[in-house]
Amino acid sequence: MNEIRYYDHNFNANEWFIVISLIVGTLVVLKLPKRFTNKTTCVYLLCGVFTGFFFDHILSVLPVSYYDINDNSSFQSMDFLSHVMYAPFSYLFFYIYDFFNIKPNLSLLFILGWAFISVGIELFSEYIGIFHYQNGYNSYYSFVIYLVVQSLWVRFYRIIKAYGEKQF
């Protein structure tokens, strides 16, 4: 039960996707006009890293082990980079939400749209070998997780917007 499962031994599509996503995502974040303070930007970037790390480690470790990440079932440095890769995606979520000034009554549509985009990226990631589903897991479960997480992100955005960086 604790044996390491190997899916691949080469540096190929899954690693390239992670590296390219990190580079392109970082460039996009740096090139976009500044909308938030440095602290808030860091928090929004960390939302993606934390959420990815949290759920990937809850769902991909024993006793549940619903999927493995990258080339084998043990944690490797490329797995860490795959979690960092979520940072630009979360930042873009907050950036676009703020840029279009999404009203609360349209938040559900925004969240649904991003959940579908997220599942699409995840399905592509599965196809190229970043995720290896097992034990009955599939992207429908991820869709529900994205709905919950992104709903919490919208609530978090509203709290930050209401209170800003006030000192308590």
Side-chain angles (χ1 to χ4, degrees):
M1 185 74 178
N2 288 335
E3 82 247 15
I4 296 175
R5 287 176 302 283
Y6 291 91
Y7 302 100
D8 193 358
H9 294 285
N10 300 313
F11 193 94
N12 49 21
N14 57 334
E15 289 90 1
W16 279 114
F17 180 76
I18 292 167
V19 169
I20 290 169
S21 293
L22 271 171
I23 292 169
V24 170
T26 301
L27 289 174
V28 167
V29 168
L30 293 173
K31 292 292 183 184
L32 283 172
K34 188 174 178 171
R35 295 194 69 77
F36 311 114
T37 66
N38 289 338
K39 286 181 189 178
T40 303
T41 296
C42 287
V43 167
Y44 290 159
L45 288 166
L46 287 173
C47 279
V49 176
F50 171 78
T51 303
F53 195 83
F54 179 78
F55 281 102
D56 282 350
H57 280 75
I58 283 179
L59 297 172
S60 70
V61 297
L62 295 172
V64 289
S65 192
Y66 287 121
Y67 56 81
D68 290 327
I69 302 170
N70 285 317
D71 292 344
N72 65 55
S73 58
S74 68
F75 188 77
Q76 300 177 309
S77 58
M78 194 54 73
D79 298 344
F80 173 76
L81 290 178
S82 73
H83 295 109
V84 175
M85 176 183 72
Y86 292 121
F89 290 107
S90 64
Y91 180 78
L92 285 175
F93 176 91
F94 290 108
Y95 190 94
I96 292 169
Y97 192 85
D98 185 72
F99 182 82
F100 288 108
N101 194 24
I102 306 291
K103 303 295 181 211
N105 59 337
L106 295 177
S107 292
L108 180 59
L109 289 175
F110 184 80
I111 292 165
L112 278 171
W114 270 88
F116 280 114
I117 290 168
S118 301
V119 166
I121 293 169
E122 183 175 317
L123 288 172
F124 180 73
S125 298
E126 178 194 14
Y127 175 75
I128 63 171
I130 292 176
F131 296 111
H132 305 276
Y133 297 149
Q134 55 197 17
N135 299 324
Y137 191 86
N138 62 53
S139 59
Y140 296 114
Y141 298 114
S142 294
F143 184 74
V144 173
I145 292 170
Y146 291 128
L147 289 176
V148 170
V149 166
Q150 292 166 357
S151 296
L152 292 171
W153 283 0
V154 165
R155 182 68 186 129
F156 183 59
Y157 169 84
R158 294 277 173 209
I159 291 169
I160 290 200
K161 195 75 167 166
Y163 296 103
E165 293 184 11
K166 296 179 183 173
Q167 298 294 324
F168 293 99

